[in-house]
Amino acid sequence: SFESPAGTWSPQNYDKQFRGKVTVRTALEQSLNVPVVRVAQTVGAKRIAQVARGLGIRSPLDENLTLALGGSAVSLLEMTGSYGALAHDGIVMGPTAFRQVIAQEGDPLWQPVTDRRQAVSPQAAYLMTSLLKGVVERGTAARARSLGLIHPAAGKTGTTDGFRDAWFIGYTPELVVGVWVGFDDGRELKLSGSQAALPIWVDFMKD
């Protein structure tokens, strides 16, 4: 349990089991909430929010421990863009709908000015990618292999309280893709990220 201005908060793991001390790798691979909140308590929510902002998150963020578990609503585009920075040696590039506009003769008429900057160090991005590869190889997204994914990939499943939202955001060295499944009115989906979003992601990546 954690004390907060709003009172005592007792986050639970998905399976309601407590495993005691585990490695960061195990915590991420198995989506264990309690160790992640412990890390957030050590690092500080303000620092986590700063890193998120650097990675391109623009949505309002609550600077408390719930931030570690996705307690603030963030768009799929923002999340996918931030994972793209991890795939690109820590360099964040602002998403754009068009690469360029070309005249009929082949001359470039327009291309976007992209927001490109070093958000996290290449070393940090490498370590995060290594951790997120474990999610696909051994963790909550391991069924990607049985669904036919053969390429090296890194990613993370996500499931909100009450099974309202199911996520999977993942990347290969060439492509980052985010999938969200849910109802617009916030009704329960009753499916996890691994059950609902991951198969869609795998089908798209295989194509």
Side-chain angles (χ1 to χ4, degrees):
S1 295
F2 301 86
E3 296 301 326
S4 72
T8 301
W9 179 49
S10 300
Q12 293 184 326
N13 295 324
Y14 179 81
D15 59 5
K16 304 294 190 291
Q17 301 298 312
F18 181 66
R19 293 167 179 76
K21 289 185 178 181
V22 297
T23 64
V24 171
R25 183 175 294 277
T26 297
L28 275 178
E29 288 179 1
Q30 303 302 324
S31 280
L32 303 179
N33 291 334
V34 176
V36 173
V37 176
R38 288 281 186 205
V39 171
Q41 186 181 42
T42 301
V43 174
K46 185 176 288 294
R47 177 63 181 141
I48 293 171
Q50 288 172 347
V51 173
R53 295 275 179 239
L55 288 168
I57 304 297
R58 297 288 172 262
S59 297
L61 298 175
D62 295 327
E63 293 186 6
N64 56 47
L65 293 181
T66 64
L67 187 60
L69 303 182
S72 298
V74 176
S75 77
L76 178 62
L77 181 61
E78 288 178 312
M79 288 292 291
T80 307
S82 66
Y83 275 64
L86 299 178
H88 198 245
D89 294 328
I91 298 171
V92 67
M93 298 181 68
T96 180
F98 302 97
R99 289 183 179 177
Q100 61 181 168
V101 178
I102 301 174
Q104 187 173 0
E105 299 77 22
D107 299 322
L109 297 176
W110 174 89
Q111 61 185 44
V113 178
T114 56
D115 174 21
R116 178 188 172 101
R117 65 188 186 285
Q118 194 77 44
V120 297
S121 71
Q123 294 88 344
Y126 175 86
L127 288 173
M128 277 307 306
T129 295
S130 174
L131 292 170
L132 294 173
K133 282 173 69 176
V135 175
V136 176
E137 297 301 328
R138 295 173 297 277
T140 56
R143 69 184 293 239
R145 297 302 181 201
S146 65
L147 292 171
L149 184 75
I150 60 174
H151 301 291
K156 186 73 183 71
T157 56
T159 310
T160 55
D161 285 346
F163 294 91
R164 291 189 309 275
D165 304 277
W167 299 73
F168 185 76
I169 303 175
Y171 54 93
T172 67
E174 294 81 25
L175 185 65
V176 57
V177 174
V179 176
W180 168 81
V181 182
F183 294 107
D184 290 343
D185 60 6
R187 280 181 291 140
E188 282 189 21
L189 182 65
K190 298 182 180 178
L191 293 169
S192 68
S194 176
Q195 294 168 323
L198 180 65
I200 298 171
W201 184 88
V202 170
D203 283 347
F204 182 87
M205 297 300 271
K206 283 163 59 180
D207 286 344

